[in-house]
Amino acid sequence: MHGRSDCLIAVLVVAISLCTPSTVAGDPHARSYGVPTLPARCTLTFDVIVRDVSTEEMRRFAKEYSRDSRRWLANRGVVSRESAEAAAREAAAGPDRQQPPRRLNAVLSLFDGKTYYRLLEGTYEQEFLCCDTYSIKRVTHAGHSSGGVMYYPRDGAWAGEVVPLPGVGLPSLPLITLESVEQIGNAVTIRGRSPAMNTSAGNGWSRRSSRAEGRHTAAGLEVARCVLLGRSNEVEQRWDFSGHRVFHGVRLASRSVLTDFGTRWSDDRPIREPTRTFTFMLRDASPRPLYEETFNADHWLRDQDVVQDYRTRDAIPFRYRLGRGSLSAQMERARLERRREQAEARRGTWTVTGISGIVVLLGVIGVAATRRFRSR
């Protein structure tokens, strides 16, 4: 009899545990459902479609807002009246209809802590490389470099870009940081912070409060949706993941859709609406990274390429010279040269100030001597 009651109690305990949310940051069972992350070495290729999904009301509001905000700044003397009106005319000439879809190809490759990302749209190409302490970006159009090569602190080149996170995170960029977990049966809800795509906070990723939803499977956590929230808990962005498959121990989404949301006002109340979507269709997933030279910044550069060093408040430009040392060595020489120029400029200012002071002092002495001579 006791054996039966003990068995019944055990069954009830299991049933209750399956039906009760498992909350918590400190719950080791919940933490075992960690957010999936891509392996340290792999290459993913995608077909990408960018769609304008804005409504007519949203486009009209955006034009009016752009016009009114510029005129407001002009009325307060922040910008000139001419520039405000030029911006208003430009806004008025904006598209009245949804723009046609854009089709791109993307390659994401990881190699032991380094991340390479390439976007290709016709003859327009963007390349990014993120390493331990820096990131670098190059834009080319029809084979010609546009704006040179930009060098940033870590993650700086990625700020303001859209990177595919196919239901998983990158080793250096988690889909969502785990702050708390709730579990009911196999359904899992994770709360934390996620990187906001196509926005930036200085030279780095901007992160938002977020909520990821998925289910626990025998192959690990399968994330179906990740929602990023604004300050008033409004939806700012949303990832939707589908067509999952197992890749190196993680549930990788074959289709990932990022939706941007915007706000328009009607009758003094805000209305949130989708404005644009980025659809990433996974074409291939390989356990091998691209060739090793891809992850070496010097491999990207050609002789006389202009490099903009954005690691300080003021960009330091210089020309890369092939055969005259590594990129890092040439950057340090450019930085030392900038310091030398600034020091010389300061010395020049001090010299002029000193001479001016002497002239003023001599003038004062002369006036005093003249007054003394006249008083005799």
Side-chain angles (χ1 to χ4, degrees):
M1 187 74 179
H2 285 291
R4 274 188 180 179
S5 62
D6 290 345
C7 181
L8 181 60
I9 290 171
V11 170
L12 287 172
V13 168
V14 171
I16 292 171
S17 67
L18 288 175
C19 298
T20 304
S22 167
T23 356
V24 84
D27 184 350
H29 181 65
R31 282 188 181 276
S32 68
Y33 301 112
V35 182
T37 301
L38 284 171
R41 294 188 178 188
C42 64
T43 299
L44 308 181
T45 58
F46 302 87
D47 291 324
V48 188
I49 301 177
V50 183
R51 290 187 175 91
D52 176 5
V53 295
S54 61
T55 62
E56 181 180 351
E57 292 82 2
M58 178 65 80
R59 291 191 295 275
R60 183 170 59 248
F61 175 81
K63 289 182 180 184
E64 293 172 354
Y65 179 81
S66 178
R67 178 199 64 200
D68 295 343
S69 60
R70 287 287 180 170
R71 288 176 177 172
W72 184 86
L73 291 172
N75 290 338
R76 281 152 183 78
V78 178
V79 299
S80 67
R81 183 73 59 183
E82 293 76 14
S83 67
E85 290 305 319
R89 289 192 297 273
E90 183 179 351
D96 294 317
R97 299 180 179 180
Q98 289 182 348
Q99 296 300 288
R102 294 169 50 206
R103 299 181 182 276
L104 305 87
N105 299 108
V107 176
L108 180 69
S109 190
L110 308 180
F111 180 71
D112 295 347
K114 297 181 180 180
T115 305
Y116 171 80
Y117 183 46
R118 183 177 70 222
L119 275 175
L120 183 64
E121 183 178 13
T123 59
Y124 180 81
E125 181 181 44
Q126 289 190 66
E127 291 180 285
F128 305 85
L129 177 63
C130 180
C131 297
D132 294 333
T133 59
Y134 70 90
S135 63
I136 193 168
K137 173 182 178 180
R138 182 175 69 180
V139 177
T140 56
H141 182 60
H144 299 287
S145 180
S146 172
V149 178
M150 284 71 78
Y151 190 102
Y152 299 86
R154 178 180 172 81
D155 298 333
W158 302 78
E161 302 297 336
V162 177
V163 179
L165 298 176
V168 300
L170 310 182
S172 60
L173 187 70
L175 173 65
I176 180 172
T177 58
L178 192 151
E179 294 179 358
S180 68
V181 177
E182 291 180 0
Q183 181 188 347
I184 302 177
N186 287 332
V188 179
T189 300
I190 298 174
R191 299 182 189 280
R193 298 185 70 81
S194 294
M197 301 293 170
N198 215 36
T199 60
S200 62
N203 280 335
W205 287 105
S206 175
R207 296 184 183 272
R208 300 285 192 273
S209 295
S210 57
R211 181 184 71 251
E213 301 166 357
R215 66 188 184 94
H216 179 64
T217 70
L221 180 64
E222 179 182 291
V223 181
R225 173 171 290 185
C226 186
V227 180
L228 281 67
L229 304 172
R231 293 180 179 177
S232 302
N233 283 331
E234 73 277 12
V235 179
E236 285 202 353
Q237 293 183 334
R238 185 186 70 222
W239 281 102
D240 291 287
F241 306 108
S242 58
H244 293 77
R245 63 179 182 177
V246 178
F247 174 72
H248 274 249
V250 298
R251 299 283 292 170
L252 200 64
S254 296
R255 187 173 188 269
S256 308
V257 182
L258 173 66
T259 303
D260 267 337
F261 286 80
T263 301
R264 65 180 178 87
W265 288 77
S266 178
D267 298 328
D268 294 329
R269 65 185 183 90
I271 300 175
R272 297 291 290 175
E273 292 181 347
T275 57
R276 183 168 50 168
T277 62
F278 300 81
T279 301
F280 295 89
M281 299 298 295
L282 183 63
R283 195 170 65 197
D284 183 61
S286 168
R288 293 182 297 276
L290 296 175
Y291 53 93
E292 194 168 343
E293 289 81 359
T294 305
F295 302 91
N296 180 359
D298 289 280
H299 171 73
W300 290 23
L301 300 171
R302 297 174 291 238
D303 191 39
Q304 298 291 336
D305 268 354
V306 175
V307 179
Q308 300 276 352
D309 181 359
Y310 286 101
R311 291 178 300 165
T312 56
R313 182 174 297 178
D314 298 323
I316 299 177
F318 67 94
R319 286 193 178 275
Y320 176 80
R321 298 306 306 272
L322 197 63
R324 296 191 181 179
S326 65
L327 171 62
S328 57
Q330 294 192 38
M331 290 180 68
E332 289 310 311
R333 287 200 296 269
R335 188 171 294 276
L336 289 172
E337 179 64 19
R338 170 62 66 88
R339 290 174 184 164
R340 185 185 64 79
E341 291 173 355
Q342 291 174 340
E344 288 181 354
R346 284 194 296 269
R347 281 198 297 269
T349 302
W350 293 337
T351 301
V352 170
T353 303
I355 292 173
S356 300
I358 293 172
V359 170
V360 171
L361 180 60
L362 290 174
V364 171
I365 293 172
V367 170
T370 302
R371 287 179 177 175
R372 188 173 179 183
F373 176 77
R374 286 179 178 175
S375 63
R376 287 182 179 180

